[in-house]
Amino acid sequence: MAANTFYTQEQLEKAKATLENLPDLTPDRLTRADILESLKEQILTLYSQKGYSAADIKSALDAAGIKVGLKAIQEAIAKSSPGKKNASRVKKVRAHSKPVQSGEKREMENNPAGHTSR
């Protein structure tokens, strides 16, 4: 049986009325970010004062039906923990044993693994 390709004005009005009467679901549909923001105080208390690890908190949230990644919990803790800001972003710089010559620098940029073509 072929599907309708044309609809009546009555069908259009009925569809509009049906869609207008649907309830607003935004208060009931929270994202993971919304959940973490709402639970931030409890997460920080568990982590900093009660000895729970991020993995322990993740397990408790899993048991409550909230699926949040370990990394997201760790980031929430790191953002809110005083004195640990940007600690995960610090990069170590490796010093060269000898100064790099301009030709060697270009070769290193083109071949970061350090293999020479000579």
Side-chain angles (χ1 to χ4, degrees):
M1 180 174 222
N4 278 349
T5 55
F6 299 100
Y7 300 95
T8 66
Q9 190 66 31
E10 182 181 333
Q11 288 172 310
L12 174 62
E13 295 304 319
K14 183 177 178 182
K16 281 183 180 180
T18 301
L19 293 177
E20 285 178 5
N21 290 325
L22 290 175
D24 184 6
L25 297 178
T26 52
D28 295 330
R29 292 192 175 173
L30 300 174
T31 65
R32 287 185 182 116
D34 294 335
I35 292 291
L36 285 174
E37 185 62 32
S38 297
L39 296 173
K40 184 169 50 176
E41 292 292 321
Q42 286 103 339
I43 290 172
L44 290 175
T45 300
L46 289 170
Y47 180 78
S48 63
Q49 297 174 9
K50 295 189 176 184
Y52 286 85
S53 69
D56 295 332
I57 296 167
K58 180 189 180 322
S59 294
L61 290 173
D62 285 345
I66 306 293
K67 304 297 180 199
V68 179
L70 181 61
K71 186 174 181 179
I73 295 169
Q74 290 169 334
E75 288 174 354
I77 291 168
K79 284 181 186 176
S80 300
S81 296
K84 292 187 176 182
K85 291 184 179 178
N86 298 329
S88 62
R89 296 184 186 180
V90 176
K91 293 183 178 180
K92 293 182 181 177
V93 178
R94 190 178 347 166
H96 293 285
S97 57
K98 65 176 185 172
V100 177
Q101 303 298 321
S102 62
E104 290 175 341
K105 182 178 181 183
R106 204 172 305 115
E107 184 176 318
M108 286 177 65
E109 289 171 354
N110 294 332
N111 189 1
H115 300 290
T116 58
S117 57
R118 297 178 207 177

